[in-house]
């Protein structure tokens, strides 16, 4: 439960709302990116994939910051 709480805290602090929703739908619920793009009516050229790329980049930086502070 602690790990789940920490994961949610990381997602909430590092990602904006759309990134968090897309990331959770894709990786948590196994929804295909094309279906997410349609469901959320994303109109950018890359659809949900762009949000996944951005979320991964932001999460990677957030994890590196945590490691630098000595948090595991």
């Amino acid at each position: 439960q602690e790990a789940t709480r920490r994961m949610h805290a990381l997602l909430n602090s590092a990602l904006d709302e759309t990134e968090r929703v897309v990331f959770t739908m894709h990786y948590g619920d196994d929804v295909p990116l094309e279906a997410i793009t349609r469901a959320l009516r994303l109109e950018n050229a890359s659809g949900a994939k762009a949000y996944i790329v951005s979320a991964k980049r932001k999460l990677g930086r957030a994890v590196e910051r945590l490691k630098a502070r000595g948090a595991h």
Side-chain angles (χ1 to χ4, degrees), residues 2 5-7 9-10 13 59-72:
E2 177 63 18
R5 187 195 64 73
R6 291 173 70 175
M7 180 189 64
L10 179 65
S13 67
L59 288 170
R61 286 194 305 251
V63 167
E64 289 303 314
R65 284 192 302 271
L66 287 173
K67 285 180 183 177
R69 284 188 262 168
H72 345 19

Side-chain angles (χ1 to χ4, degrees), residues 1-55:
Q1 280 204 348
E2 177 63 18
T4 300
R5 187 195 64 73
R6 291 173 70 175
M7 180 189 64
H8 284 287
L10 179 65
L11 291 174
N12 288 333
S13 67
L15 305 180
D16 69 33
E17 182 178 357
T18 303
E19 291 165 337
R20 195 168 45 253
V21 169
V22 170
F23 192 87
T24 302
M25 287 177 76
H26 186 60
Y27 291 110
D29 300 326
D30 288 328
V31 179
L33 293 176
E34 302 80 29
I36 296 170
T37 299
R38 286 191 307 273
L40 300 181
R41 297 184 178 144
L42 302 175
E43 297 182 2
N44 57 317
S46 299
K49 183 176 181 179
Y51 290 96
I52 290 291
V53 170
S54 177

